[in-house]
Amino acid sequence: MHSFSELSEQFCNYFHIPNFDREPKGLYEPCAYFLGAGGKRIRPVCCLMGNELFGDIHPDAWNVASAVELFHNFTLMHDDIMDRSDLRRGRETVHKKYGEASGILSGDVMLIIAYDYLNKIDSKLLPQTLSLFNKTAIEVCEGQQLDMDFEKMDHVSLEQYIEMITLKTSVLLAASLSMGAFLGGASKENCDKIYEYGKNLGIGFQVQDDFLDAFGDEKKFGKVIGGDIRRNKKTFLMLYAMENSNATQRKELLRLMDENPIDKVERVLEIFEQVGVKQWALDLRKKYADAALKSLGEAEVAEERKAPLIDLTDKLLNREV
Amino acid sequence: MHSFSELSEQFCNYFHIPNFDREPKGLYEPCAYFLGAGGKRIRPVCCLMGNELFGDIHPDAWNVASAVELFHNFTLMHDDIMDRSDLRRGRETVHKKYGEASGILSGDVMLIIAYDYLNKIDSKLLPQTLSLFNKTAIEVCEGQQLDMDFEKMDHVSLEQYIEMITLKTSVLLAASLSMGAFLGGASKENCDKIYEYGKNLGIGFQVQDDFLDAFGDEKKFGKVIGGDIRRNKKTFLMLYAMENSNATQRKELLRLMDENPIDKVERVLEIFEQVGVKQWALDLRKKYADAALKSLGEAEVAEERKAPLIDLTDKLLNREV
């Protein structure tokens, strides 16, 4: 059995980019550039970990892990265009560097190559793997659409936000784990437990991400604090604050978002403090961590095999603040 | 056995759009809008015709035909953004009507749903079908990239243009026919013959398309003549004219493209006339039609079953000028 970081290193060695050293350069170079920027490779490693939960890693798991990573990068490349982001992982985004047409077309070809990786697996396992992969891919598109819809809406409920996050982020983690488990010979029940584990892990991970943006330590977090607040992003924290503030506080929040004063982040954090956002977010994160670990606990496999996933949960959901 | 128009009607009845009557509306409505505009459905019908060449139409052929049509529409939706086209089939393009993010994301989801259709077929036939589908999809992206590259190049040879057209247009026709044949139980040899038939048909179809833009009858053609010339498009005709004109003619062609005078189309057509473009294009079309029919002729199946495809060749490559 391997830890997340061991598998992450193995995956990086496996997942070379020579695939993309082909012609026409205009199509493949942006793929190599984008994939070469690295990233945490959480999703493919989850696939490997879900697989290793039930035995030694099956060769097919590497192919599905690669498909998942390509799919994820395809979504990022296209999201960057839709969100008009100029930077990703500290580098220029593809559409910024190579033009928008490249961002679209190179993203498209990465998605198709993802399907080509899926097609390398044992044909007996293909239909069910493809079925979950497709379902998930469709959900991720739906999540991105909801995210864009929410930006234009005045009011978004916490429930709606959780639905969006589930689709946009957490189902891919869940499916990666579950496809890995399936390739490892896990029963339907066990695959479902692992899926639930991943779904809760994914939502908890977003809570954590939103939390760190407001309350993280800039040095450890590696990003400037308050980016979401500056961009008026509807995060877990902001939605909770809007729903639980009194009339004066809410009016002030709306004013800050509207007027964008220089001390906006500070002032919003003051209101977060008054409304008790920090403790609520910590509790919420714990709620999802507990739910994830409960599902993992229910998976019928020797307890010691679960250790790497328990560590991962801790790593993702209890990053130092 | 059925003619192209019979199968086209059957496919339109089969390929309802209820698929896309779901939430979130922002994602699926642009798909329904775009697919609802119709189009000739040549590719899915080719899949059905390739299938019927070897027996009664297999239920799986409808699924693969649907996948092909969704894939084709996905490419059009994204190409329209890349090419900055405002109109398609007489209606506003998706990105023009719903915004660019919709054009990207709704295109993406159509591609994924195409894969979901593929996953409905007999699992024994899935890996090989998926393999050709993926190969083709990658080639179509490469073709689109080359097409965009060529726009920025001063000189493109006829050979390069044919390679681009093969990738961008004709491999999808070829693969549609060949996947249909495969699902119909055709041997590898027969699938390859049908593929070759489709590839030549596709290139010939592009010759025809380029030809009609210059020499067609506006009323029968349904488009204004000279659109390609006005937009300085590198077509079969223009590339031939550039390669076969004398220094004076070539200089004049370049001047016309550069200066865009009001009588540009007329003047370019005069040079086409002098260089013998019309006859050359008719001969080229015949060359591809002959090559297509030769491959079809070599397919080992009762001659009478080939009649609908022979008719199709005639229909596509000998449209009245």
Side-chain angles (χ1 to χ4, degrees):
Chain A
M1 279 187 316
H2 300 86
S3 68
F4 179 87
S5 36
E6 285 163 351
L7 288 176
S8 178
E9 201 187 322
Q10 286 184 34
F11 180 76
C12 290
N13 291 333
Y14 172 84
F15 187 67
H16 276 307
I17 330 280
N19 270 346
F20 295 97
D21 187 15
R22 26 173 170 159
E23 299 281 341
K25 280 232 172 310
L27 180 62
Y28 293 113
E29 197 185 293
C31 300
Y33 167 79
F34 196 70
L35 292 166
K40 295 181 289 286
R41 315 291 192 201
I42 292 178
R43 292 149 195 86
V45 175
C46 276
C47 177
L48 298 172
M49 292 179 86
N51 190 256
E52 204 176 26
L53 190 57
F54 296 92
D56 288 343
I57 296 181
H58 190 288
D60 287 346
W62 296 96
N63 289 314
V64 174
S66 301
V68 161
E69 184 63 6
L70 285 166
F71 171 78
H72 177 58
N73 280 274
F74 141 78
T75 63
L76 296 181
M77 206 186 271
H78 281 189
D79 286 1
D80 282 344
I81 308 173
M82 295 184 239
D83 302 343
R84 313 216 164 280
S85 307
D86 293 346
L87 286 175
R88 156 88 54 195
R89 296 167 187 158
R91 313 208 289 179
E92 268 185 307
T93 48
V94 165
H95 66 100
K96 187 84 187 159
K97 185 175 167 80
Y98 296 96
E100 206 178 283
S102 286
I104 297 174
L105 195 61
S106 298
D108 291 344
V109 85
M110 282 208 297
L111 174 59
I112 297 163
I113 295 174
Y115 279 103
D116 224 26
Y117 270 101
L118 288 182
N119 201 22
K120 293 180 204 284
I121 72 172
D122 182 345
S123 63
K124 289 191 298 297
L125 304 175
L126 180 58
Q128 196 167 328
T129 305
L130 194 54
S131 172
L132 181 54
F133 189 92
N134 287 338
K135 175 175 171 287
T136 306
I138 290 170
E139 287 172 343
V140 171
C141 291
E142 292 176 351
Q144 168 67 4
Q145 182 67 46
L146 290 179
D147 197 11
M148 296 192 297
D149 290 346
F150 289 179
E151 273 188 27
K152 294 177 207 136
M153 284 161 58
D154 286 332
H155 179 73
V156 172
S157 69
L158 265 170
E159 202 185 345
Q160 287 174 305
Y161 182 73
I162 291 172
E163 190 205 344
M164 182 275 282
I165 285 303
T166 303
L167 293 170
K168 182 167 172 169
T169 326
S170 85
V171 294
L172 185 57
L173 265 186
S176 301
L177 283 152
S178 175
M179 287 188 292
F182 172 69
L183 298 175
S187 65
K188 167 91 173 63
E189 288 69 29
N190 276 341
C191 287
D192 290 349
K193 294 289 178 204
I194 298 308
Y195 186 91
E196 279 307 304
Y197 161 76
K199 203 164 105 177
N200 285 294
L201 182 73
I203 305 173
F205 186 54
Q206 186 67 45
V207 176
Q208 172 80 342
D209 212 55
D210 289 359
F211 179 88
L212 289 180
D213 184 78
F215 302 112
D217 176 327
E218 290 200 1
K219 281 189 216 122
K220 292 184 188 157
F221 186 37
K223 283 196 228 174
V224 177
I225 294 302
D228 290 345
I229 295 173
R230 258 185 217 95
R231 288 176 290 122
N232 290 346
K233 234 188 126 198
K234 294 182 184 90
T235 63
F236 270 110
L237 315 192
M238 184 57 86
L239 296 175
Y240 178 80
M242 291 296 285
E243 283 189 10
N244 293 278
S245 48
N246 61 35
T248 319
Q249 291 162 335
R250 189 153 48 241
K251 208 173 141 194
E252 174 67 358
L253 279 174
L254 290 170
R255 189 190 68 78
L256 290 165
M257 289 197 257
D258 191 47
E259 295 178 4
N260 266 318
I262 197 154
D263 59 347
K264 178 177 170 186
V265 175
E266 232 178 302
R267 305 282 290 276
V268 168
L269 286 176
E270 273 168 35
I271 299 174
F272 279 7
E273 182 79 17
Q274 292 160 20
V275 182
V277 168
K278 187 171 183 175
Q279 190 55 48
W280 172 79
L282 289 172
D283 292 347
L284 189 67
R285 186 182 74 180
K286 184 167 184 315
K287 182 186 128 182
Y288 285 110
D290 289 349
L293 291 172
K294 180 168 179 288
S295 291
L296 181 62
E298 287 167 3
E300 290 178 341
V301 60
E303 286 306 309
E304 63 271 21
R305 297 203 76 86
K306 298 177 183 174
L309 283 173
I310 294 171
D311 283 351
L312 176 69
T313 318
D314 196 55
K315 187 178 156 72
L316 291 185
L317 299 192
N318 294 300
R319 284 193 278 178
E320 271 189 68
V321 297
Chain B
M1 276 185 322
H2 300 86
S3 68
F4 179 86
S5 36
E6 284 162 352
L7 287 176
S8 178
E9 201 187 322
Q10 284 184 36
F11 181 75
C12 290
N13 291 332
Y14 172 84
F15 187 66
H16 277 306
I17 331 279
N19 269 346
F20 295 98
D21 187 15
R22 27 173 169 158
E23 299 283 341
K25 281 232 172 310
L27 180 63
Y28 294 112
E29 198 186 293
C31 301
Y33 167 79
F34 197 70
L35 292 167
K40 294 182 287 290
R41 316 290 191 200
I42 292 177
R43 293 150 195 86
V45 174
C46 275
C47 176
L48 298 172
M49 292 178 87
N51 190 255
E52 204 176 26
L53 190 56
F54 297 92
D56 289 343
I57 295 181
H58 190 287
D60 287 345
W62 295 96
N63 289 314
V64 174
S66 301
V68 162
E69 183 64 5
L70 284 167
F71 171 79
H72 177 59
N73 279 273
F74 141 79
T75 63
L76 297 181
M77 206 186 269
H78 280 189
D79 286 1
D80 283 343
I81 307 174
M82 297 183 239
D83 303 342
R84 312 216 165 279
S85 308
D86 293 345
L87 285 176
R88 157 90 51 196
R89 295 167 188 158
R91 313 208 289 180
E92 269 186 305
T93 48
V94 164
H95 67 100
K96 187 83 186 159
K97 185 176 167 79
Y98 295 96
E100 207 179 282
S102 286
I104 296 174
L105 194 61
S106 297
D108 291 344
V109 86
M110 281 206 298
L111 174 58
I112 298 163
I113 295 174
Y115 280 102
D116 224 27
Y117 270 100
L118 288 181
N119 201 22
K120 293 180 204 284
I121 71 171
D122 182 344
S123 63
K124 289 192 296 296
L125 305 175
L126 180 59
Q128 197 168 328
T129 305
L130 195 54
S131 173
L132 181 54
F133 189 92
N134 286 337
K135 175 175 172 287
T136 307
I138 289 170
E139 287 171 346
V140 171
C141 291
E142 292 176 351
Q144 168 68 5
Q145 181 67 46
L146 291 178
D147 197 11
M148 295 192 298
D149 291 346
F150 289 178
E151 274 190 25
K152 295 178 207 137
M153 284 160 58
D154 285 334
H155 178 74
V156 172
S157 70
L158 265 170
E159 202 186 344
Q160 288 175 305
Y161 182 72
I162 291 172
E163 190 206 346
M164 182 275 284
I165 285 303
T166 302
L167 293 170
K168 183 167 172 169
T169 325
S170 86
V171 293
L172 184 57
L173 265 186
S176 300
L177 282 152
S178 175
M179 288 188 291
F182 172 69
L183 297 176
S187 67
K188 167 91 173 61
E189 289 68 28
N190 276 342
C191 287
D192 290 349
K193 292 289 177 206
I194 298 308
Y195 186 92
E196 278 309 303
Y197 161 76
K199 203 163 105 175
N200 284 294
L201 181 72
I203 304 173
F205 185 54
Q206 186 67 45
V207 176
Q208 171 80 343
D209 212 55
D210 289 359
F211 179 88
L212 289 181
D213 183 78
F215 303 111
D217 177 328
E218 290 200 1
K219 279 188 217 125
K220 290 183 191 159
F221 185 38
K223 283 195 228 175
V224 176
I225 294 302
D228 290 344
I229 295 173
R230 258 185 217 98
R231 287 177 290 122
N232 290 346
K233 235 188 124 195
K234 298 183 181 87
T235 63
F236 270 109
L237 316 192
M238 183 57 84
L239 295 174
Y240 178 82
M242 291 295 287
E243 284 189 10
N244 294 278
S245 48
N246 61 35
T248 319
Q249 290 163 333
R250 190 155 44 242
K251 207 173 142 196
E252 174 69 355
L253 277 176
L254 290 170
R255 189 191 68 78
L256 290 167
M257 289 197 258
D258 190 47
E259 294 178 5
N260 265 319
I262 197 154
D263 59 348
K264 177 176 172 186
V265 174
E266 234 176 299
R267 305 281 290 275
V268 169
L269 286 176
E270 272 168 35
I271 299 176
F272 280 5
E273 183 78 16
Q274 293 160 18
V275 182
V277 168
K278 187 171 182 174
Q279 191 54 48
W280 172 80
L282 288 171
D283 292 347
L284 189 67
R285 187 182 71 180
K286 184 168 184 315
K287 181 186 130 184
Y288 285 110
D290 289 349
L293 291 172
K294 178 167 179 288
S295 291
L296 181 63
E298 288 167 2
E300 290 179 341
V301 61
E303 286 306 308
E304 63 270 22
R305 299 204 73 86
K306 298 177 182 171
L309 283 172
I310 294 170
D311 283 351
L312 176 69
T313 318
D314 196 55
K315 186 179 156 73
L316 291 184
L317 299 192
N318 293 300
R319 281 192 281 176
E320 271 190 68
V321 297

